[in-house]
């Protein structure tokens, strides 16, 4: 083979390897940037993406050592320059190598198949949609917009954005997104729209709605889904449909922010406050923030939407005169008769001690049963009890591998660690002193379900049958399809009271639900995580949004909060459904305390067998910065290394070091310059025992 061109090619080099840019190869013919290739790397043959042509090989490389590209996947069109720029930006912003990031966000089949296999796969056309069986769905026509919706849509048509649509659950945000999308899809036959959601499996209704709206007009294959839980074949088919432009609408989770969409015109980030938009390993990107960047890059409109926006986005959408960069569109009213639920706080200080369910709440549940309406009880702890303890010596069910207690699961009588999975049968007696009286401490969903059944054992439904209680949490939905069938039972009205974790608080539209109660939400009020109140407020607003969505029941839907701190500002704001007031008070506190969004943070994290090793690495890293990067440290604050809140998981000790700056560019410059120093530090013999290290930019948990 005669090789006459030089190419730089992205390959997935191991994380933090000293070389992290593209590698140089030769090729017989020029290949367009974005072409998918296979190249030799050491003794292996690996997938790569052509980054660009090179006029000459880099100076430090002897051209005779360069090896040729092994194969070109010419059946797949090249990735666009805009896509390459998105990856390049994300890699540099989140401090990873572009090759690692680029290849990790492509479907695995694109990486694994040879050109011949790929050709075969492409001929075996598979329907791309994850929305299987969707053809049978009835169509959903566009609605006549309310004045609030119409005003939002007009603003979206007129302005460049990005937009932050703020409106309660049921205020008609989705309808606005759908009509904005329809506009674009109609006017430009190449236009494509990307919808990002935090979790697809939890929100099948959203997916159905997209299909019902778009399939009749744009064809049954117009809507595809992209998320990491799909089979490789489907994921490839969906990806290709978007990549070749045949799919007009892509619905996906955070990974889909990297969907290849040559005609991208609109990106909608629904529930933009949701922490699952932040990737927690590898490149720790925020899909929400990348969506905004991508919109700018490709000239696509970006709409972020939420009833309880992240404080970051809320702050960015302050008036332009005060420096805001997003346009805030508020839609305060619920559509039709769907009033927001009345919020009632139960002061648990006045209830009998240790009561999990207060007397008035039990009464309210009984009323719902009589009226044949549904209730949802929210308790954010699965299992029977979070701890088992010995009444004699004080032994507790600690996990030997983690700094956490193992949770008591009664149905199979196990102690399970929710962090490392370590599971053992419940001991017959205290392992420390032999006392047979070991007891559960605290309550989880399993116990709540049991207590509820006892409490309501004599209560009957109007037709004389017993009350039907169901539980949905990570334990009851372990098997594929379990969640769907349990949700279907709730929708079909086969359940009177649903007990669940936050899993059920998101997105579901339960028509007959008129009571939602948070059983024990106080923990988040005093958490050391400064974002905990924001999360609690969002969760409760969202949970409350489950209630009273049906006009038939409107007016009597209620959100109950059982709390020992009824006058806490979080609950006061919740009672008034007043997100802006809540946000204003939180922002004032954050400004005063010097916290995001008023400054920017990065975490350096290290894992090792001992806490000392992990911290030593971090503190050495800090000293190196002091020594070599003094010029960049002006606007930077570095803190000493500390253990993570969950200090030990699966016998790994974890530590972190926080770096802050009021200037995002200053922080970026510093971290970028720090990166090579960190790599050389890790290579020193004294830091061999560091198992993993990572930089987390804009971390969500400190
Ligand atoms: P959100 O996304 O804010 O929760 P949706 O767009 O889902 O709100 O609207 C809530 C409900 O109201 C849905 O059932 C939707 O079909 C309906 N709806 C939305 N806009 C209108 C409208 N302009 N006229 C009538 N019904 C509407
Ligand atoms: Zn004991
Ligand atoms: Zn454990």
């Amino acid at each position: 083979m005669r090789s006459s061109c030089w190419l730089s090619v992205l390959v997935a080099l191991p994380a933090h390897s000293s070389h992290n840019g593209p590698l140089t190869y030769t090729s017989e013919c020029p290949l367009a940037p974005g072409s998918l290739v296979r190249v030799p790397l050491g003794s292996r043959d690996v997938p790569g993406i052509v980054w660009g042509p090179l006029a000459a090989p880099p100076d430090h490389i002897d051209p005779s050592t360069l090896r040729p590209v092994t194969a070109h996947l010419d059946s797949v069109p090249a990735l666009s320059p805009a896509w390459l720029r998105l990856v390049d930006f994300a890699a540099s912003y989140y401090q990873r190598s572009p090759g690692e990031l680029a290849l990790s966000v492509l479907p695995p089949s694109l990486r694994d198949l040879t050109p011949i296999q790929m050709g075969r796969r492409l001929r075996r056309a598979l329907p791309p949609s994850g929305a299987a069986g969707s053809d049978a769905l009835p169509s959903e026509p566009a609605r006549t917009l309310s004045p609030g919706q119409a005003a939002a849509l007009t603003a979206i048509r007129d302005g460049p954005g990005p937009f932050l649509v703020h409106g309660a659950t049921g205020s008609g945000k989705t309808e606005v997104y759908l009509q904005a999308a329809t506009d674009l899809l109609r006017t430009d036959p190449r236009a494509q729209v990307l919808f990002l959601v935090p979790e697809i499996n939890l929100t099948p209704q959203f997916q159905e709605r997209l299909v019902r709206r778009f399939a009749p007009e744009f064809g049954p294959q117009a809507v595809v889904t992209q998320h990491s839980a799909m089979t490789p074949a489907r994921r490839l088919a969906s990806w290709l449909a978007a990549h070749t432009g045949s799919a007009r609408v892509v619905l996906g989770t955070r990974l889909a922010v990297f969907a290849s969409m040559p005609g991208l015109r609109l990106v909608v980030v629904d529930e933009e406050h949701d922490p699952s938009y932040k990737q927690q390993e590898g490149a720790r990107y925020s899909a929400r923030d990348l969506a905004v960047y991508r919109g700018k890059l490709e000239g696509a409109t970006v709409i972020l939407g939420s009833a309880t926006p992240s404080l970051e986005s809320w702050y960015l959408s302050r008036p332009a005169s005060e420096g805001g960069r997003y346009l805030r569109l508020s839609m305060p009213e619920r559509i039709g008769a769907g009033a927001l639920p009345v919020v009632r706080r139960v002061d648990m200080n006045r209830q009998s001690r240790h009561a999990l369910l207060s007397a008035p709440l039990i009464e309210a549940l009984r009323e719902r049963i009589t009226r044949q309406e549904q209730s949802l009880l929210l308790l954010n702890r699965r299992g029977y009890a979070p701890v088992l303890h010995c009444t004699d010596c004080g032994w507790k069910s600690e996990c030997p591998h983690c700094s956490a207690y193992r949770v008591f699961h009664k149905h199979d009588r196990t102690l399970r660690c929710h962090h490392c999975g370590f599971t053992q049968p419940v001991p017959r007696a205290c392992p420390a002193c032999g006392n047979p009286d070991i007891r559960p401490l605290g309550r989880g969903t399993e116990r709540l379900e049991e207590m509820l059944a006892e409490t309501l054992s004599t209560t009957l439904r109007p037709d004389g049958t017993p009350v039907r209680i169901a539980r949905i949490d990570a334990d009851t939905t372990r098997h594929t399809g379990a969640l769907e069938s349990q949700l279907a039972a709730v929708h079909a009205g086969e359940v009177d009271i649903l007990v669940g974790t936050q899993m059920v608080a998101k997105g579901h539209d339960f028509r007959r639900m008129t009571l939602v109660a948070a059983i024990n939400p106080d923990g988040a009020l005093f958490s050391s995580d400064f974002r905990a109140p924001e999360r609690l407020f969002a969760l409760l607003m969202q949970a409350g949004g489950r209630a009273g969505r049906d006009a038939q029941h409107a007016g009597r839907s209620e959100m109950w909060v059982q709390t020992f701190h009824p006058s806490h500002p979080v609950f006061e704001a919740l009672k008034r459904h007043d997100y802006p007031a809540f946000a204003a008070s939180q922002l004032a506190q954050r400004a005063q305390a010097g916290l995001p969004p008023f400054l920017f943070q990065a975490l350096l994290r290290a894992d090792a067998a001992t806490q000392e090793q992990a911290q030593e690495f971090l503190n050495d890293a800090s000293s190196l910065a002091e020594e070599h990067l003094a010029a960049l440290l002006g606007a930077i604050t570095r803190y000493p290394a500390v253990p993570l809140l969950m200090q030990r998981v699966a016998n790994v000790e974890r530590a972190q070091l926080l770096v802050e700056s009021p200037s995002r560019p200053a922080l970026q410059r510093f971290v970028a310059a720090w990166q090579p120093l960190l790599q050389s530090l890790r290579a020193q013999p004294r830091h061999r025992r560091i198992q993993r290290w990572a930089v987390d930019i804009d971390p969500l948990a400190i």
Side-chain angles (χ1 to χ4, degrees):
M1 189 194 280
R2 202 179 61 88
S3 296
S4 58
C5 310
W6 295 287
L7 297 174
S8 60
V9 176
L10 290 179
V11 297
L13 293 167
H16 309 311
S17 62
S18 56
H19 184 99
N20 59 18
L23 301 182
T24 309
Y25 290 91
T26 62
S27 137
E28 227 176 319
C29 54
L31 292 174
S35 299
L36 294 162
V37 292
R38 299 195 67 86
V39 292
L41 184 68
S43 58
R44 294 177 305 145
D45 180 58
V46 299
I49 301 169
V50 175
W51 192 240
L54 290 173
D59 287 342
H60 59 279
I61 294 179
D62 170 5
S64 67
T65 63
L66 290 178
R67 298 200 272 170
V69 166
T70 334
H72 172 210
L73 265 71
D74 52 3
S75 51
V76 179
L79 291 151
S80 70
W83 191 89
L84 294 176
R85 279 172 67 194
L86 174 68
V87 163
D88 193 29
F89 169 78
S92 90
Y93 187 79
Y94 294 105
Q95 303 292 322
R96 303 296 286 202
S97 86
E100 178 211 8
L101 178 63
L103 287 146
S104 73
V105 299
L106 291 178
S109 312
L110 276 185
R111 306 194 290 258
D112 304 340
L113 299 183
T114 63
I116 294 168
Q117 290 167 323
M118 179 62 74
R120 231 182 274 142
R121 180 67 64 83
L122 290 176
R123 279 190 297 279
R124 222 178 343 114
L126 188 73
S129 179
S134 51
D135 307 346
L137 291 173
S139 71
E140 187 200 82
R143 319 275 184 157
T144 309
L145 296 183
S146 72
Q149 286 174 313
L153 185 61
T154 306
I156 291 167
R157 281 182 183 144
D158 289 351
F163 301 96
L164 176 67
V165 177
H166 170 234
T169 325
S171 63
K173 296 186 294 299
T174 308
E175 185 63 33
V176 172
Y177 312 152
L178 296 180
Q179 297 204 17
T182 308
D183 271 3
L184 292 169
L185 297 175
R186 276 189 191 148
T187 40
D188 175 357
R190 286 187 60 251
Q192 293 178 298
V193 177
L194 174 62
F195 283 92
L196 296 179
V197 290
E199 245 290 359
I200 286 188
N201 295 329
L202 294 183
T203 51
Q205 288 159 343
F206 193 79
Q207 184 178 343
E208 280 178 26
R209 204 160 154 198
L210 291 185
V211 173
R212 278 185 285 148
R213 180 63 61 93
F214 297 119
E217 186 171 349
F218 302 103
Q221 309 298 340
V223 181
V224 300
T225 55
Q226 287 191 6
H227 56 96
S228 48
M230 295 163 80
T231 63
R234 284 223 173 274
R235 200 164 145 196
L236 177 64
S238 273
W239 188 89
L240 286 169
H243 179 60
T244 56
S246 70
R248 308 291 307 279
V249 176
V250 174
L251 168 65
T253 49
R254 61 173 178 261
L255 177 72
V257 75
F258 292 105
S260 166
M261 299 173 70
L264 185 67
R265 298 289 309 282
L266 171 67
V267 187
V268 174
V269 184
D270 193 30
E271 308 290 1
E272 68 87 33
H273 63 279
D274 198 295
S276 43
Y277 282 120
K278 183 87 156 72
Q279 168 79 15
Q280 292 298 350
E281 58 192 32
R284 295 165 181 242
Y285 60 86
S286 157
R288 175 194 66 215
D289 296 348
L290 283 182
V292 172
Y293 181 85
R294 186 171 183 183
K296 204 160 63 177
L297 191 65
E298 304 201 35
T301 304
V302 177
I303 307 176
L304 312 179
S306 176
T308 51
S310 62
L311 289 176
E312 281 79 3
S313 299
W314 187 252
Y315 183 62
L316 280 166
S317 70
R318 65 197 185 279
S321 57
E322 295 166 26
R325 289 191 275 126
Y326 299 174
L327 186 62
R328 187 185 297 168
L329 304 171
S330 291
M331 304 205 310
E333 254 119 69
R334 258 190 169 184
I335 292 289
L340 287 166
V342 173
V343 175
R344 302 196 46 184
R345 292 161 292 180
V346 182
D347 184 350
M348 295 304 276
N349 297 298
R350 301 183 184 190
Q351 297 295 317
S352 63
R353 246 165 70 80
H354 301 309
L356 181 55
L357 293 170
S358 60
L361 179 57
I362 294 170
E363 201 38 53
L365 289 171
R366 288 207 172 100
E367 267 173 39
R368 293 322 187 273
I369 290 161
T370 312
R371 294 205 300 256
Q372 304 202 41
E373 295 165 6
Q374 293 175 314
S375 308
L376 168 63
L377 300 187
L378 208 61
L379 181 61
N380 230 351
R381 234 173 222 290
R382 66 194 168 88
Y384 189 84
V387 189
L388 214 56
H389 81 135
C390 167
T391 51
D392 239 17
C393 75
W395 170 86
K396 285 182 174 166
S397 55
E398 268 163 28
C399 175
H401 310 297
C402 305
S403 43
Y405 294 114
R406 278 176 299 161
V407 175
F408 172 40
H409 288 256
K410 192 175 179 188
H411 76 102
D412 59 358
R413 298 206 59 84
T414 55
L415 287 179
R416 273 191 236 158
C417 176
H418 288 183
H419 301 279
C420 72
F422 181 64
T423 302
Q424 280 183 321
V426 171
R428 280 179 212 293
C430 170
C433 74
N435 170 23
D437 189 14
I438 44 178
R439 292 186 190 171
L441 208 62
R443 287 103 173 179
T445 45
E446 211 189 329
R447 193 171 192 183
L448 175 58
E449 184 188 21
E450 181 186 281
M451 289 178 61
L452 202 56
E454 277 165 25
T455 309
L456 298 177
S457 59
T458 55
T459 306
L460 294 178
R461 307 176 62 240
D463 65 3
T465 56
V467 177
R468 301 157 310 176
I469 300 167
R471 168 165 63 95
I472 297 185
D473 57 28
D475 292 320
T476 67
T477 54
R478 199 152 287 164
H479 302 291
T480 13
L483 176 64
E484 287 78 359
S485 65
Q486 288 167 26
L487 288 174
V490 180
H491 286 295
E494 291 158 18
V495 169
D496 301 309
I497 303 177
L498 175 61
V499 171
T501 53
Q502 62 173 341
M503 206 171 165
V504 288
K506 292 187 182 182
H508 305 289
D509 192 352
F510 297 122
R511 307 256 49 148
R512 284 169 242 234
M513 195 126 331
T514 62
L515 170 64
V516 175
I519 300 305
N520 182 15
D522 285 350
L525 299 177
F526 307 102
S527 162
S528 63
D529 180 351
F530 68 86
R531 285 191 175 87
E534 178 184 351
R535 297 238 171 89
L536 176 64
F537 188 82
L539 176 68
L540 295 179
M541 281 281 276
Q542 202 161 22
R546 301 305 104 222
R549 300 198 72 178
D550 201 339
Q552 202 191 329
H553 304 302
R556 34 168 207 277
S557 69
E558 296 177 350
M559 163 93 217
W560 287 51
V561 178
Q562 295 195 144
T563 171
F564 288 95
H565 307 277
S567 55
H568 194 284
V570 170
F571 299 136
E572 295 282 356
L574 183 73
K575 183 163 179 62
R576 297 191 308 268
H577 302 286
D578 194 349
Y579 172 82
F582 170 77
S585 77
Q586 285 287 309
L587 284 175
Q589 284 176 25
R590 298 232 192 136
Q592 201 177 15
L595 289 169
F598 300 97
L599 52 68
F600 302 92
Q601 299 181 319
L603 278 180
L604 177 60
R605 288 198 35 187
D607 291 353
T610 71
Q611 188 59 224
E612 291 68 39
Q613 289 165 9
Q615 292 195 17
E616 194 181 24
F617 174 75
L618 300 176
N619 289 328
D620 282 4
S622 193
S623 311
L624 269 187
E626 188 84 55
E627 248 171 75
H628 299 280
L629 305 176
L632 294 176
L633 286 175
I636 306 282
T637 310
R638 284 162 301 138
Y639 293 86
V642 291
L644 258 70
L645 207 53
M646 264 297 295
Q647 176 175 339
R648 194 163 52 105
V649 171
N651 295 323
V652 173
E653 286 283 341
R654 315 181 316 161
Q656 67 184 23
L657 185 151
L658 177 64
V659 182
E660 302 181 331
S661 175
S663 154
R664 202 196 281 268
L667 186 63
Q668 274 289 312
R669 275 194 302 274
F670 167 67
V671 181
W674 204 16
Q675 191 66 243
L677 298 177
L678 296 171
Q679 275 150 12
S680 64
L681 186 66
R682 170 65 183 76
Q684 290 177 10
R686 64 198 240 99
H687 292 303
R688 281 266 156 70
R689 283 169 303 184
I690 295 299
Q691 297 168 359
R692 264 163 34 117
W693 65 276
V695 177
D696 188 351
I697 307 288
D698 306 329
L700 279 189
I702 306 283

